[in-house]
Amino acid sequence: ESLCQYDLTNYPTFLNLMGSTSAQQASVDSGLREDWTFKYIQKLFFYRRFEEIFPQIELFQGTASNSVQLEAVSEYKMAALFERGLKKAIEGANLKNPSQSNERWSEARSNLEEFLTLDSSFGRTNYSVLTNRDLEENAWRAHIVLGDPQTAYSTIPAGDTNDQERFHYLRIQLLQQ
């Protein structure tokens, strides 16, 4: 039933059905399970359901280690870590309660540091599945939020004024948030 909802583009219902215990425990062919889980990860990312996406990514990476979708799942993981980290940093900056703010900042730091670790071993300069995103800018933003803009800036060649301007613009955008 969940795949029918997916095909009908009724994604909220698809997500609810996929999140159910019966769907997670259903006995299905491994190829179908792989396709099912990949579609679930795609929609969890689309709807920014970060708390649910990471366990699904770990499950996929553990059970479908030979999948052609493995690289795409890695991209979803990196992008989700970045977005969740940025979201938590903004939440933390806007909270009045120091304890809550510190908790959000701790989560932000953890997500952004893991994103940067994965980025450093990614082996490519940009996403191939999430083509509307810019991996380099995500890494720059993560470094800026973590208080280390010099590391990001040092990756820009000295004569590349276009990227230098992009970088400074990103810093201004982040300060406004």
Side-chain angles (χ1 to χ4, degrees):
E1 181 184 352
S2 59
L3 287 179
C4 290
Q5 295 299 324
Y6 183 89
D7 291 339
L8 292 170
T9 66
N10 187 354
Y11 302 130
T13 303
F14 168 74
L15 288 172
N16 289 335
L17 289 170
M18 286 296 295
S20 71
T21 305
S22 60
Q24 297 298 318
Q25 295 176 348
S27 177
V28 295
D29 172 69
S30 63
L32 179 60
R33 170 73 66 189
E34 179 182 320
D35 181 52
W36 207 6
T37 306
F38 181 69
K39 288 176 178 176
Y40 188 36
I41 289 168
Q42 285 179 307
K43 293 306 162 195
L44 287 171
F45 181 78
F46 180 80
Y47 286 98
R48 304 306 192 255
R49 291 171 62 171
F50 299 124
E51 304 311 317
E52 298 167 63
I53 197 171
F54 295 115
Q56 291 303 316
I57 288 172
E58 296 302 319
L59 175 69
F60 190 94
Q61 290 174 327
T63 60
S65 58
N66 296 323
S67 172
V68 295
Q69 302 293 354
L70 203 55
E71 195 169 294
V73 169
S74 295
E75 285 189 25
Y76 280 110
K77 181 176 184 177
M78 287 175 57
L81 284 165
F82 171 76
E83 287 207 11
R84 184 174 187 269
L86 200 58
K87 176 182 178 257
K88 294 294 182 179
I90 292 168
E91 285 175 4
N94 292 327
L95 287 170
K96 303 285 186 234
N97 181 317
S99 175
Q100 290 176 333
S101 179
N102 289 338
E103 182 180 328
R104 292 297 189 295
W105 174 244
S106 176
E107 291 173 306
R109 176 175 290 285
S110 174
N111 287 156
L112 293 173
E113 286 175 348
E114 186 174 352
F115 162 76
L116 288 170
T117 299
L118 292 174
D119 175 49
S120 68
S121 63
F122 191 52
R124 285 200 319 270
T125 58
N126 214 348
Y127 297 104
S128 63
V129 174
L130 301 168
T131 56
N132 62 333
R133 304 179 67 85
D134 188 320
L135 181 59
E136 181 178 52
E137 282 190 14
N138 286 357
W140 289 351
R141 288 176 196 258
H143 280 291
I144 292 167
V145 170
L146 291 171
D148 188 19
Q150 276 311 114
T151 298
Y153 194 75
S154 69
T155 65
I156 302 171
D160 192 344
T161 57
N162 194 25
D163 276 355
Q164 290 171 354
E165 287 178 17
R166 269 183 42 216
F167 179 82
H168 291 301
Y169 180 70
L170 284 175
R171 287 184 74 178
I172 291 169
Q173 281 181 319
L174 286 170
L175 285 172
Q176 291 173 345
Q177 291 180 343

